[in-house]
Amino acid sequence: SSSSSSSYSSFYAQQELISSQNLLKDLCSMPFEDLCLTERGRMIGTQIATLLLQDCGDDFPAVKRLSTILQSRCASYFTGQDLILYNAKKMLESELNSHNSNPIQRKNVCEAAVSMIDSQVIPQIISQILSPELSNPLSDQNKYQTCFLWEFCDLLGRLGSHRLIPSIALACAKQIDPDGLTENLFEYGLIRHKKSALNFYQSGDVSPSHHHTSGTHNPSSLYRAKLFCYNCVLSSFEQLLPNISLSQPNENLNTSPTSSNSVPIQLTEAFKEALNKDDKFFEWIFYDWLLSHHSPLLNSYMISIKSQLVQVFLEERHRLDLLWHFYLQNQKFEEAAKVLKLLACCEGPPPNATAVATGWPQDIQDRLRYLTYAICHLSQSNKRVDPQMVRDLEDTKEVAELQLQIKESLKSQYKVFGELDNRLLNLSELYNKYAEPHELFECCLLILRCGQYNDEALPKEFWRRLIDREGQSGDNWKTFRGAGKVKSWTSQFYPSPIVFPIPFICETLIEKEMTDSDYFRSSNLIEFDAAWVAKEMNAGGVGIAELYYIYSSLEAQKQSTKNGFIFYLLLIITDLLTFWSVIDRNGFLGSVSQEEITKISETIAVIPNSPRPFVEEYQRRLINLSNSRVSSDVHSRFNPFTTRIIA
């Protein structure tokens, strides 16, 4: 019939030759004109010829005779190249069904079959892939699985020769676009405009300055054809993944296992074979495939690849959590530090991230850890590092530590955790939103120090309120004294004259002690260690000499105050001198003169109406000091002092 609408269902009188229901359906619906004149029609004719050859089974003489007949009588549907493809595929099928095969034989058969697919045969494969029925975006994607390339690669994978698949599939991809149209579009779309490569090719958007033609096919059809070739490779990789653990971040694909047949080595060899083909478009698709599995193992492999395109890809995909690892692998410590700081300061994975970014900071602890890593890696750089960059990182880390301390102080108030975890706040936000409203006085003081606050009034107010609150936190003042708070404060704030005003703190603690201490209320001073504050400050880092002169200045400033304060100061100074003479005799002798001790001894004589319990305790301690096991040099300093007080 010459009608284009005629169907040739009657052609299948011998349906026993046709094993493919899809082929039967396509042929029944195809007009004769299309069967003769279209590439799809030629494909169907080739498939029918192939089925006839398959019906010969392993009778190779029959196959040879039939193939000769087909080539002479049906040259449009069956050529010498079709015979080569048939023989290559038949070799793999026979080997797959063989019961006497061994790994070496299988490897040799697979290599021989692949060697038959040369540059003269590949155009035959490509013509099938580029047929309108397959390259049409609306076509059934399952039809691709009837293509020779898909079936051939599947057989190679089932025979365990995954490393051979990239060589044939990527060779086809390369010949699909001999003019380099997709390669030019890749450079134009990705490098210059930072577009998503997949969206770029799918849209078929071509800049006028980069408009080329590759035969009769537009960029979109070329893209889909190349993507099919890439999918053949990626599908072979997928066959290996179920045999390894994808969730172990410490497992390394580059570590040689004891067995040469281990799956990681197979996968690594296949990866390397694919990447050696120098196909940037495939590399991009391959990196997307690695990310799509959300596997620490595959991510680790990707950042180990020595390719500039990995860096571009991770930047395009906003995967900063992997990018800093990539820089670290390549000894680019300064770049790694910059990315780590960006990670620490970000507000979470960007909305256009293509994968679940498990390495993005989840809380303030993660952000602080990234800043610590940045400073650490920056110190490893062999290049000269910008000092300002180091200072900025250290300042940012200090603010992050404050934010973490505020979060820890507000453990019971879960509603504030969101903002404290979601981003790094500045000092003003930390102070005005959290530290000051919640009366976190220590955090307020740290913020003032970090911000280099230089007004003494506000820190002193915070210390007064902090000491008042801490002194009431226990059952009595003795609980506060035993908590080691003064030592902790000293370690945290010293030296910082504005934020840690030692004279003011010592004076405030003396007044608090005289008000709340059971020792003073009962006048029972025998077990009272008057210099406990000075000792804790000394343990926190303040020198004894500095503490001695601070308390001496307080004593001089308080001559006109009530007698109890002066006596307490005398007790403190006496105990401090005793402590000093024991732990640092040379320092004591070099710092405290005879005149200073004499001056202290005369202080009590000028105080009228001296409270008897204080005087008696003062005398007892001086006598104990005179009888203590210190050197004669120390005794000689104290003897005049002791004699005068006792008298």
Side-chain angles (χ1 to χ4, degrees):
S1 173
S2 60
S3 173
S4 61
S5 60
S6 300
S7 296
Y8 280 83
S9 57
S10 60
F11 180 81
Y12 286 98
Q14 299 180 347
Q15 290 190 14
E16 64 275 7
L17 297 178
I18 308 300
S19 60
S20 171
Q21 294 300 316
N22 288 334
L23 179 61
L24 176 62
K25 179 181 178 181
D26 291 343
L27 185 58
C28 289
S29 61
M30 177 171 285
F32 181 73
E33 180 182 11
D34 291 349
L35 181 65
C36 297
L37 300 179
T38 65
E39 182 63 27
R40 180 59 179 162
R42 184 200 173 280
M43 287 176 56
I44 291 178
T46 302
Q47 288 179 291
I48 294 174
T50 302
L51 288 171
L52 289 170
L53 290 175
Q54 289 178 349
D55 194 54
C56 297
D58 295 330
D59 187 350
F60 294 105
V63 171
K64 185 176 181 180
R65 289 193 301 270
L66 181 56
S67 64
T68 302
I69 295 172
L70 290 171
Q71 290 181 65
S72 62
R73 298 184 181 180
C74 310
S76 298
Y77 297 115
F78 195 81
T79 65
Q81 287 79 14
D82 291 320
L83 180 60
I84 293 174
L85 296 178
Y86 171 80
N87 288 334
K89 181 180 174 184
K90 186 66 175 178
M91 287 176 62
L92 298 182
E93 290 175 340
S94 299
E95 183 62 26
L96 187 62
N97 296 325
S98 174
H99 298 292
N100 300 320
S101 179
N102 59 69
I104 296 178
Q105 179 181 330
R106 284 195 167 192
K107 177 182 177 183
N108 293 336
V109 169
C110 290
E111 290 177 348
V114 171
S115 67
M116 297 171 66
I117 314 298
D118 56 18
S119 59
Q120 301 300 317
V121 179
I122 287 179
Q124 201 78 349
I125 302 173
I126 294 174
S127 64
Q128 185 183 28
I129 299 172
L130 284 173
S131 64
E133 289 79 3
L134 294 186
S135 60
N136 190 319
L138 302 178
S139 64
D140 183 4
Q141 296 301 306
N142 291 329
K143 290 183 179 180
Y144 272 118
Q145 299 187 12
T146 65
C147 289
F148 171 85
L149 181 61
W150 184 275
E151 293 177 340
F152 191 77
C153 291
D154 181 63
L155 286 169
L156 286 173
R158 293 165 67 184
L159 288 168
S161 293
H162 298 83
R163 66 180 182 83
L164 298 175
I165 295 175
S167 62
I168 178 175
L170 297 183
C172 291
K174 185 174 183 179
Q175 289 199 30
I176 282 174
D177 182 24
D179 297 332
L181 174 59
T182 52
E183 192 72 16
N184 291 333
L185 290 177
F186 180 82
E187 296 286 344
Y188 176 77
L190 173 65
I191 305 300
R192 300 186 184 183
H193 291 281
K194 299 293 183 184
K195 287 186 178 181
S196 166
L198 296 181
N199 292 337
F200 186 83
Y201 286 110
Q202 287 171 340
S203 67
D205 179 19
V206 185
S207 169
S209 61
H210 289 78
H211 188 51
H212 302 274
T213 59
S214 184
T216 59
H217 301 285
N218 60 41
S220 296
S221 62
L222 292 178
Y223 159 73
R224 280 184 286 273
K226 292 189 75 169
L227 189 59
F228 166 69
C229 297
Y230 299 154
N231 283 339
C232 291
V233 179
L234 299 179
S235 295
S236 71
F237 296 163
E238 291 284 355
Q239 294 175 11
L240 292 174
L241 293 184
N243 298 320
I244 64 174
S245 173
L246 297 179
S247 60
Q248 297 179 11
N250 295 326
E251 187 177 352
N252 189 347
L253 285 176
N254 294 319
T255 302
S256 298
T258 55
S259 171
S260 61
N261 295 324
S262 64
V263 175
I265 285 294
Q266 282 185 289
L267 196 55
T268 302
E269 289 178 348
F271 287 171
K272 289 181 178 178
E273 184 67 27
L275 294 173
N276 286 339
K277 300 305 177 183
D278 193 28
D279 186 333
K280 293 182 179 179
F281 192 8
F282 171 76
E283 278 191 58
W284 192 269
I285 302 297
F286 174 61
Y287 299 149
D288 255 338
W289 177 83
L290 291 175
L291 279 187
S292 68
H293 289 83
H294 315 307
S295 163
L297 181 65
L298 296 182
N299 290 345
S300 176
Y301 180 83
M302 178 170 60
I303 63 176
S304 71
I305 298 171
K306 304 295 183 181
S307 171
Q308 184 68 19
L309 191 59
V310 175
Q311 175 186 336
V312 178
F313 173 82
L314 293 176
E315 289 174 349
E316 173 69 10
R317 291 293 186 262
H318 302 284
R319 288 306 299 263
L320 302 182
D321 54 315
L322 297 179
L323 182 59
W324 76 270
H325 282 290
F326 175 79
Y327 283 135
L328 208 58
Q329 288 269 353
N330 292 277
Q331 304 291 303
K332 296 182 178 181
F333 298 108
E334 189 168 348
E335 290 82 355
K338 291 177 181 177
V339 174
L340 282 164
K341 184 181 179 183
L342 286 175
L343 263 178
C345 298
C346 71
E347 295 190 27
N352 58 338
T354 58
V356 178
T358 56
W360 286 76
Q362 304 298 316
D363 51 33
I364 184 60
Q365 288 90 332
D366 285 346
R367 300 176 190 280
L368 185 56
R369 184 171 65 253
Y370 283 141
L371 291 169
T372 304
Y373 289 166
I375 296 172
C376 177
H377 294 320
L378 206 57
S379 66
Q380 296 177 278
S381 178
N382 295 325
K383 301 178 182 178
R384 184 182 179 277
V385 178
D386 182 7
Q388 185 60 43
M389 182 180 179
V390 178
R391 286 193 294 271
D392 289 345
L393 279 171
E394 291 174 345
D395 290 345
T396 305
K397 179 174 178 285
E398 186 176 0
V399 175
E401 289 172 338
L402 279 171
Q403 189 163 324
L404 175 60
Q405 185 169 340
I406 289 175
K407 176 185 173 181
E408 293 295 323
S409 301
L410 299 173
K411 284 182 178 179
S412 59
Q413 302 184 38
Y414 297 103
K415 62 181 180 181
V416 305
F417 275 23
E419 189 175 23
L420 289 173
D421 281 333
N422 287 344
R423 65 186 181 95
L424 283 182
L425 306 180
N426 58 43
L427 290 176
S428 296
E429 290 175 312
L430 290 174
Y431 181 86
N432 293 320
K433 287 187 176 182
Y434 299 102
E436 203 280 331
H438 292 88
E439 297 187 341
L440 304 178
F441 300 128
E442 293 177 59
C443 294
C444 289
L445 291 165
L446 288 170
I447 291 172
L448 294 180
R449 183 179 67 179
C450 186
Q452 299 181 347
Y453 189 78
N454 55 12
D455 186 352
E456 296 182 356
L458 188 57
K460 287 182 179 180
E461 175 62 19
F462 284 139
W463 278 113
R464 183 189 63 76
R465 295 170 66 185
L466 178 60
I467 292 172
D468 283 345
R469 185 179 66 189
E470 293 296 332
Q472 298 171 359
S473 61
D475 295 334
N476 49 48
W477 181 255
K478 190 174 182 179
T479 303
F480 169 70
R481 290 184 58 199
K485 277 287 186 179
V486 176
K487 177 183 176 181
S488 174
W489 291 337
T490 307
S491 301
Q492 193 171 22
F493 294 103
Y494 179 81
S496 180
I498 299 297
V499 175
F500 191 62
I502 297 179
F504 176 80
I505 294 172
C506 292
E507 180 180 329
T508 305
L509 285 170
I510 290 175
E511 293 173 348
K512 185 73 173 176
E513 180 106 60
M514 294 177 64
T515 303
D516 296 349
S517 174
D518 291 338
Y519 293 115
F520 280 88
R521 286 198 295 266
S522 64
S523 299
N524 180 19
L525 300 174
I526 294 178
E527 298 179 1
F528 178 60
D529 181 6
W532 71 272
V533 172
K535 291 178 181 179
E536 287 202 18
M537 286 189 173
N538 176 247
V542 185
I544 296 182
E546 181 180 355
L547 289 166
Y548 168 70
Y549 291 121
I550 286 173
Y551 277 106
S552 295
S553 65
L554 284 180
E555 182 266 335
Q557 296 169 10
K558 289 293 183 178
Q559 289 292 338
S560 60
T561 63
K562 58 183 179 180
N563 295 342
F565 187 94
I566 298 300
F567 274 108
Y568 187 18
L569 267 176
L570 290 173
L571 286 175
I572 293 174
I573 293 172
T574 304
D575 286 355
L576 181 58
L577 289 173
T578 304
F579 177 66
W580 192 3
S581 66
V582 172
I583 68 168
D584 183 16
R585 183 177 66 85
N586 293 329
F588 168 74
L589 293 174
S591 301
V592 184
S593 66
Q594 179 69 59
E595 290 74 17
E596 287 183 90
I597 297 178
T598 302
K599 180 181 177 182
I600 297 173
S601 69
E602 293 172 348
T603 302
I604 194 170
V606 300
I607 301 176
N609 303 320
S610 302
R612 187 65 183 172
F614 288 105
V615 176
E616 291 175 351
E617 179 59 23
Y618 199 31
Q619 292 174 343
R620 187 185 68 80
R621 295 190 185 207
L622 289 172
I623 294 172
N624 289 340
L625 176 60
S626 299
N627 296 330
S628 65
R629 295 181 180 180
V630 295
S631 68
S632 58
D633 293 330
V634 176
H635 280 164
S636 65
R637 294 287 174 89
F638 276 105
N639 279 340
F641 182 24
T642 307
T643 302
R644 184 175 292 105
I645 294 301
I646 294 175

